[in-house]
Amino acid sequence: MTPRKTSQTMKPATAAKKLGVYLPATPAEFQEGVVSRDELNALQTDPPEWLRELRRNGPHPRPILALKLGISIGGLARGGITEALTTAEVEALKTENPEWLQQERATQAEVRREAARLKEEADKRA
């Protein structure tokens, strides 16, 4: 008997994280099942309309919100953002540009500058 190759599966939460979408906003059949590696690859290469819509309009999970706002996930929490936001809500927040968002963006910019400086120093030593 030759062993059959079994497909690796993951929980819906893991698949949603890999797809960059907010799990509670996904269809019930996605939330209730398991996702194989092949299914995940298919979703990534040829996303169905529900996935395109979620990526376009949200609601978005915290890592995506942080990316869209140019801040860290910790910065979201410090700013009081604990729930998923839609693209429209993110755009409204960018337009409002509250003080906490300005501060978090400045902090994130400093973190990036420092990381670049450290990388440059390491490259010079190498």
Side-chain angles (χ1 to χ4, degrees):
M1 257 190 170
T2 59
R4 287 192 312 165
K5 182 179 177 190
T6 58
S7 182
Q8 179 185 10
T9 60
M10 61 195 82
K11 294 178 183 175
T14 303
K17 187 175 183 178
K18 289 180 182 289
L19 292 169
V21 294
Y22 184 58
L23 180 62
T26 62
E29 58 271 10
F30 180 85
Q31 293 179 40
E32 295 164 1
V34 293
V35 180
S36 73
R37 175 66 60 195
D38 292 339
E39 289 169 330
L40 179 69
N41 290 340
L43 287 169
Q44 289 172 326
T45 56
D46 186 22
E49 183 54 36
W50 66 263
L51 182 53
R52 288 195 300 271
E53 180 67 21
L54 272 180
R55 286 178 170 168
R56 192 171 32 252
N57 297 315
H60 304 287
R62 290 181 311 151
I64 303 301
L65 289 177
L67 186 66
K68 286 180 175 286
L69 292 170
I71 63 175
S72 67
I73 294 174
L76 286 174
R78 287 188 291 275
I81 306 296
T82 57
E83 298 296 318
L85 300 178
T86 64
T87 299
E89 291 168 325
V90 169
E91 292 306 316
L93 195 53
K94 285 180 178 178
T95 301
E96 288 171 26
N97 201 18
E99 190 173 322
W100 70 266
L101 182 56
Q102 294 172 38
Q103 179 60 46
E104 289 301 332
R105 284 180 165 167
T107 300
Q108 192 67 16
E110 183 56 38
V111 166
R112 287 188 193 111
R113 276 193 296 277
E114 181 63 10
R117 185 188 69 77
L118 292 173
K119 182 183 182 321
E120 191 175 300
E121 280 183 15
D123 288 349
K124 284 180 184 176
R125 280 183 261 152

